[in-house]
Amino acid sequence: MFQPKAMDFFKTKTFSAQNRHNLVRIDNLRNPGAQADNLFHSVEFDILVEKLKEAKAEGRSVTCFIGAHVIKCGLSRYLIWLMENGYITHLASNGAGSIHDFELAYLGGTSEHVPTAIEDGSFGMWEETGRWMNEAIQLGAEKGYGYGQSLAAYVDENPEKFPHREDCVFYRGYKMGIPVTYHVTMGTDIIHQHPTVDFSALGATSGRDFLYFCHSIADLDDRGVHMNIGSAVTGAEVFLKALSIARNQGHALKHITTANFDIIPLGDYKSDVGKDTFEYYYRPRKNIINRPVSLGGTGLYICGNHEKTIPSLYARLKG
C-alpha cells in the first residue's frame, strides 16, 4: 500500500513574539462612544436595527459569525458591548479570529507584517501563540470542552499570562455565559504550523463547537437574527449546515432575519444570477441572504466597511 511522506513539524523553528511589530495593538483599539460612531446608513441597516431591537425585547437569540478581520479592525470592544447588551447571544468565528483575539490578550498586539515574514519562513512561527494555544486546546479536549471554551478556561486559569484579557472577546463571552465558538479548517491557521500541534485535539474541540453552534441556530426560533460579518466562506457554509440540521430536527425557523456584512457591491442581491457571473459564486449571497429565508423571514445585505458599519450598529442600538 502506498504511504505518502509526512512533514516532520519538530524540525520547525519558532520565535518569540515579544518584540514583534504588530499592526493592531491594545492602544489603538477603537472605543465605543469615543469618536463619531454613527457614520453608516442604509435602508437595510434600518431594518436590521429594528429586528435586533425586537429580538432583544422578546428575549430571542441573536447569533453572529465574524471573520478575523473584524478583530483586526480593532473592533473587539464593540463586539463585547453587543454581547453585554443582549445583541449577540452566540459569537462564532474561524481559527484566525481566535488567534488575533488570543494574541491581543497576552501580547497586547496582533497582525504581523506578512509580506516580509513569508520570504524567510518566519511567518506565523510564534512560540508563545502556538505553544499556549495548542496547550489550551489539548487540555480542553481532555475535558470534553469546545475550542473557544478551552481557550477561555486557559486564560481564566493563567491570568498572569494575559494582562489584556478584559479586551479578549472569547474570554469576556465566557465570563458572561455566552458561547464563543471557532470553526477551524486544518492547515489554515498559524498554530497548525507549531511543533506542538495536535490535530486530533483541534478536530475534537472545533467539532464540539459546531454542536454548540447548531444548538444556538435552532434556538433562533422564528424571529431570531443571524449576522455574518466578513466571513465569505467559513461563516456562510457553517451556518447553512447548522440551519439544515436545525430544520431536520423539527425547528422550522421560517421567519428569521439574516444579515450579511461585507464590502462587495452586489446590486439587486435578491435577483437570480447565472453561473457566468461572479455573484453566483459569492457564498454569503446564497447561504446567508437568500436560501435561509425562502420560507419567509428577511435576508439583508449591509454593504460597507466594518470600521463604519459595526460602530454605527453600536450607535443605533445604544441610542
Side-chain angles (χ1 to χ4, degrees), residues 120-173:
D120 61 6
S122 64
F123 165 61
M125 302 301 182
W126 306 111
E127 173 61 17
E128 299 88 348
T129 305
R131 183 170 298 277
W132 291 349
M133 287 191 72
N134 280 310
E135 181 181 10
I137 291 162
Q138 289 159 31
L139 289 171
E142 292 173 0
K143 298 174 183 177
Y145 292 171
Y147 184 114
Q149 190 180 13
S150 299
L151 296 181
Y154 187 83
V155 172
D156 202 38
E157 292 163 8
N158 298 277
E160 72 285 353
K161 291 182 178 179
F162 301 95
H164 309 289
R165 61 190 177 279
E166 291 304 311
D167 283 315
C168 178
V169 176
F170 65 71
Y171 174 73
R172 294 293 298 277

